[in-house]
Amino acid sequence: MQAQHMPFTKLINVDQGAREHFHIPKYQREYTWRRVQWEQLLNDIEDNDPGYFMGSIICVNDSQSLSPGDELIFEVIDGQQRLTTLSLLLAAIYEALKSASSTQACLSEQDEEDVRNYLTNIRSKLVKRKRDGKAGELGSFSVGKDIYFLRVQPSAQAHNLEDYRFLLGVAGILDGQQKALYCGNRLLGKAFAYFQDKISKDLTSLIRLISKINDLMFVQITVSSQSDAFTLFESLNNRGLPLSAMDIIKNKMLAQMERKHGVDIDDSFTRWQSIIDAIPDAQDQERFLRHFYNANKHRKEIRVEKVSRATRSIIIRIFEALINRNASLVFDELTSAAETYGYLLRAQYKSKPLERNLTELERIGSTPVYQLLLYLFTLEGKHLEDDRFLINVVDLMRRYFIRRNVTDTPPTRLIDQGLIDLIEVCAARIKSGRLLEFDWFVDEFMKGLRPASLDEFQSSLEGDIYENNIAMARYLLIQVDQLHHTREYQPDFWARDEKDRFIWTVEHVLPQAERLPEHWVHMIADGDKKAAAGLQNECVHRLGNLTLSGYNSDLATAPFEKKQKLSKDKNFLGQKINIGYRNGLALNALTFECQDEEYSLSSAPYWNPELIEARTQTLVNMILEANLLPGERFGRKKG
């Protein structure tokens, strides 16, 4: 690895014989900066002293493939947004400088020469004409009989490269460029227009701006492989949007498919896009890569020596090894596995029980289980006991991960390895010619990833569940309501607003406010503030004191009788929602016993710790019965 600290004028070197260029691979993602970033960049340049630090540019340089006289093309792994934006700014300055010099009256000969030098310098920072260049040289393009190189070449995605060359033509830097239709509606066109509008048209101000741009400081970090480049992202924080593991592996895959298998890079990119379409979320993509390896490492074609489990820090190294070994095979398998993984994430299966339980797994937050499911759902049916095997497994996983997430048993660090071990046990059983039977599977699963006992689960449910795990408290309240809801009122508890927030949130009946209002102090402790604070601390976060509401802040610390009152059809974040504890939710209408009397949240005449305890026990009983693991039995405990 080489790291060099240098000003922009040296990074994009225009000295005699300079042959360095910074190109973004054609299959990398498109330009994404918008007005807020353009404005920030311009402000940073103009408002700071010369030498303002712009962060690092990370490049890969495969110098072994160069022939004598070739241009040196750095493959930009991180820095596309900054380099492309600065190039567009320079193009806008070039156009403005040319216009200002032609309209400025009475320029001296020295001033005219200075302007010509600035124009030449900017032009050389953006394009290079190679007089002895040959058509077909890496990174080159032809204009008439001339061979050119872009000093900074954007990604080809979303018409970026086409738009960029057209805009250089608009600025008067590059002749013979075809009009790029709708360029003004795309980001590069908008960026160029923004800079045209914002930069000063005064000659002196333009020259001062050029000087500041030339003085911007960068660290150019050059490495020999994309794996090394990815490692740097973990420790460097700069303006660019860091590439994901998926981006890096794609770059390696597409290059190797072209080099070793003769597959056109555009064809491979189209095929790779099917993986992205199947798994569009960046976090899911990174996890898919790890799960793909973990689900298949029992096979010699996929196993990498001395790598027992894929982790985020080594995922690039794993796939570089696999792609170098057999890119075509890995590409085939990734494409097929991504389709299955996408179906699992979206619960796109015809079986209603399967669809329902896969949806619940996603809601529970049981992401480690997808490596096991990826393995099982890619098996041929002949290896499974019967058609219900997968349905039973997914239902088991749902119940298991509800308990695991409530109790934190087993600890997170053990789950991945336990699931990998289970996959290998299953693979060995199939190799021996035996079927995967559900009872056998349950025994092996519980042996390797022993869950908390039913008593431990009950103890966790009876405690301060909201304080310990808000997401699971919300999930369990929804589960109880859905087990008992009526047809008349079935709201969508998983609906989100435009900011991706849940519309239905957890509501504390007895408020969790630090200072309880007087009406609550009197209700739970006969006016004794100290006693009320102690009781609140003991029971405020327990299940029995929780419900669901779409107007949490509206209820807040209101008196209990006001919280009970029903307000119908409130328009909240685009949904019609009934608020108050008489809103028709089964969760609020469920009855529980306390001192031989029957109550519900919607009908209770008051609210106190005794009722919270009784309702807690009723909800706990329901949750335990709904989530028993194979072989367990539960006897209800009376509240």
Side-chain angles (χ1 to χ4, degrees):
M1 182 183 77
Q2 294 180 333
Q4 296 175 284
H5 191 258
M6 65 183 78
F8 184 70
T9 193
K10 290 294 183 183
L11 182 73
I12 310 293
N13 190 0
V14 297
D15 292 343
Q16 185 69 29
R19 60 193 187 106
E20 298 86 0
H21 311 278
F22 295 84
H23 288 193
I24 291 86
K26 64 187 294 186
Y27 42 80
Q28 220 181 85
R29 64 187 174 196
E30 69 270 22
Y31 180 77
T32 59
W33 272 18
R34 296 178 179 273
R35 184 186 179 93
V36 64
Q37 287 91 8
W38 307 329
E39 182 179 27
Q40 186 65 52
L41 175 67
L42 204 52
N43 289 342
D44 286 344
I45 294 170
E46 293 182 330
D47 295 345
N48 288 283
D49 293 332
Y52 181 75
F53 183 59
M54 288 291 293
S56 60
I57 302 294
I58 301 177
C59 312
V60 174
N61 174 24
D62 185 8
S63 57
Q64 295 179 353
S65 61
L66 287 179
S67 300
D70 280 356
E71 299 297 295
L72 181 58
I73 307 294
F74 290 106
E75 186 174 285
V76 178
I77 301 302
D78 186 52
Q80 172 188 182
Q81 309 298 325
R82 283 163 291 154
L83 290 177
T84 302
T85 307
L86 282 171
S87 298
L88 290 168
L89 173 56
L90 284 174
I93 292 172
Y94 182 94
E95 182 187 50
L97 188 61
K98 203 171 182 181
S99 175
S101 65
S102 65
T103 57
Q104 186 90 23
C106 303
L107 282 178
S108 67
E109 283 188 16
Q110 184 61 56
D111 286 338
E112 287 181 354
E113 184 177 351
D114 287 342
V115 170
R116 285 195 297 271
N117 288 337
Y118 280 118
L119 290 170
T120 299
N121 186 276
I122 293 175
R123 184 187 182 96
S124 298
K125 278 185 166 63
L126 298 176
V127 297
K128 176 180 179 178
R129 185 175 67 166
K130 190 171 184 179
R131 298 184 184 278
D132 58 347
K134 297 178 181 179
E137 184 177 341
L138 181 66
S140 68
F141 63 98
S142 300
V143 178
K145 295 182 178 180
D146 295 321
I147 302 299
Y148 283 88
F149 291 82
L150 295 177
R151 305 306 305 277
V152 172
Q153 179 171 295
S155 162
Q157 298 308 311
H159 302 281
N160 284 176
L161 181 54
E162 172 190 348
D163 289 347
Y164 182 74
R165 286 174 55 173
F166 169 68
L167 292 169
L168 293 185
V170 170
I173 295 168
L174 192 60
D175 295 332
Q177 297 308 298
Q178 290 185 336
K179 182 175 179 61
L181 295 175
Y182 311 114
C183 174
N185 295 330
R186 295 190 287 266
L187 285 177
L188 265 71
K190 289 180 178 181
F192 182 70
Y194 174 84
F195 291 131
Q196 282 179 309
D197 180 58
K198 295 299 181 182
I199 60 177
S200 171
K201 305 304 183 285
D202 173 70
L203 193 60
T204 302
S205 298
L206 287 169
I207 290 173
R208 187 188 310 118
L209 181 58
I210 293 169
S211 179
K212 281 200 163 187
I213 292 173
N214 284 336
D215 288 336
L216 291 171
M217 296 302 296
F218 290 84
V219 172
Q220 180 187 346
I221 303 175
T222 306
V223 295
S224 58
S225 76
Q226 293 184 345
S227 178
D228 291 339
F230 180 78
T231 302
L232 289 170
F233 287 122
E234 302 302 303
S235 57
L236 295 177
N237 179 26
N238 51 45
R239 292 169 179 270
L241 295 173
L243 296 180
S244 66
M246 203 69 164
D247 293 319
I248 302 297
I249 290 167
K250 173 192 65 181
N251 296 354
K252 175 73 175 179
M253 177 70 79
L254 271 56
Q256 198 77 337
M257 288 296 290
E258 183 178 50
R259 186 178 302 120
K260 284 197 172 182
H261 300 282
V263 178
D264 184 84
I265 207 162
D266 289 325
D267 292 339
S268 291
F269 177 81
T270 299
R271 188 176 172 199
W272 186 273
Q273 193 60 40
S274 69
I275 299 176
I276 304 303
D277 291 342
I279 313 171
D281 182 80
Q283 286 187 325
D284 290 339
Q285 291 167 8
E286 187 272 334
R287 188 172 63 247
F288 163 67
L289 293 173
R290 289 187 285 109
H291 285 179
F292 172 84
Y293 179 77
N294 292 341
N296 290 281
K297 65 172 283 289
H298 61 92
R299 299 163 48 206
K300 64 179 181 180
E301 299 93 339
I302 301 299
R303 186 169 54 250
V304 175
E305 188 177 355
K306 297 182 180 178
V307 178
S308 60
R309 178 168 67 94
T311 61
R312 193 170 186 271
S313 62
I314 63 171
I315 193 65
I316 301 300
R317 178 163 65 85
I318 290 171
F319 277 89
E320 279 195 331
L322 294 177
I323 292 167
N324 285 335
R325 184 190 299 169
N326 192 334
S328 182
L329 180 143
V330 175
F331 206 172
D332 287 345
E333 300 234 355
L334 275 176
T335 305
S336 176
E339 183 178 16
T340 300
Y341 204 82
Y343 285 145
L344 290 169
L345 292 177
R346 296 187 298 273
Q348 289 182 329
Y349 288 89
K350 292 180 180 179
S351 164
K352 289 297 181 184
L354 198 54
E355 177 186 307
R356 182 174 59 252
N357 284 322
L358 283 170
T359 300
E360 295 306 299
L361 280 177
E362 188 274 329
R363 291 170 173 173
I364 293 163
S366 53
T367 53
V369 77
Y370 287 107
Q371 57 202 315
L372 173 65
L373 298 183
L374 180 60
Y375 167 75
L376 293 175
F377 275 72
T378 54
L379 291 176
E380 295 180 53
K382 66 181 182 180
H383 298 306
L384 309 179
E385 177 183 17
D386 55 35
D387 292 341
R388 292 199 57 81
F389 178 84
L390 293 176
I391 295 174
N392 292 335
V393 166
V394 176
D395 181 58
L396 169 65
M397 295 300 112
R398 175 187 64 81
R399 296 166 183 265
Y400 177 88
F401 274 93
I402 287 173
R403 183 175 304 190
R404 198 232 73 84
N405 290 353
V406 169
T407 63
D408 284 330
T409 302
T412 303
R413 68 180 185 278
L414 300 181
I415 294 176
D416 270 354
Q417 192 58 57
L419 292 172
I420 294 169
D421 292 343
L422 179 60
I423 290 169
E424 295 191 345
V425 169
C426 290
R429 184 175 178 87
I430 289 172
K431 190 175 181 179
S432 70
R434 290 177 289 175
L435 295 175
L436 297 188
E437 298 163 339
F438 183 67
D439 289 343
W440 169 87
F441 180 89
V442 171
D443 289 342
E444 292 295 325
F445 178 69
M446 298 299 182
K447 189 190 308 178
L449 288 167
R450 188 173 299 280
S453 68
L454 195 58
D455 287 343
E456 290 169 330
F457 186 27
Q458 180 171 337
S459 177
S460 294
L461 290 171
E462 291 172 344
D464 293 334
I465 190 166
Y466 180 87
E467 189 172 47
N468 297 330
N469 194 325
I470 296 173
M472 285 309 299
R474 182 178 185 278
Y475 176 86
L476 293 171
L477 291 170
I478 293 172
Q479 184 184 52
V480 169
D481 189 88
Q482 291 181 335
L483 286 170
H484 298 88
H485 69 69
T486 63
R487 293 183 179 180
E488 287 73 25
Y489 195 55
Q490 301 179 45
D492 181 2
F493 292 116
W494 300 100
R496 294 175 181 266
D497 65 15
E498 69 282 353
K499 295 184 179 179
D500 203 37
R501 299 170 302 187
F502 285 123
I503 290 173
W504 285 87
T505 56
V506 176
E507 150 78 1
H508 287 75
V509 182
L510 169 64
Q512 57 177 329
E514 186 174 346
R515 292 185 179 180
L516 279 175
E518 289 294 327
H519 48 263
W520 277 104
V521 173
H522 282 285
M523 180 172 283
I524 68 171
D526 294 325
D528 187 331
K529 290 185 178 180
K530 186 175 181 180
L535 292 169
Q536 179 195 37
N537 185 60
E538 289 175 11
C539 60
V540 70
H541 294 312
R542 300 185 69 196
L543 267 174
N545 191 53
L546 306 177
T547 187
L548 296 163
S549 171
Y551 254 76
N552 187 290
S553 59
D554 192 62
L555 298 177
T557 59
F560 180 63
E561 58 272 18
K562 183 179 179 181
K563 289 188 172 193
Q564 284 180 314
K565 288 181 181 179
L566 175 62
S567 297
K568 291 186 177 181
D569 294 335
K570 289 285 186 178
N571 195 339
F572 182 57
L573 298 175
Q575 285 204 356
K576 294 288 187 183
I577 291 178
N578 299 337
I579 64 169
Y581 303 153
R582 295 169 186 156
N583 62 356
L585 286 187
L587 183 63
N588 296 336
L590 284 172
T591 58
F592 55 91
E593 287 187 10
C594 182
Q595 297 178 350
D596 297 325
E597 295 287 335
E598 195 171 79
Y599 300 88
S600 74
L601 185 55
S602 62
S603 64
Y606 55 85
W607 199 246
N608 63 20
E610 289 76 20
L611 293 181
I612 292 173
E613 166 62 27
R615 183 170 181 264
T616 294
Q617 196 57 59
T618 297
L619 295 180
V620 167
N621 288 341
M622 292 176 177
I623 292 167
L624 290 173
E625 287 184 331
N627 298 292
L628 293 174
L629 295 173
E632 289 183 335
R633 290 184 179 181
F634 171 67
R636 273 178 174 265
K637 177 182 173 183
K638 238 186 166 181

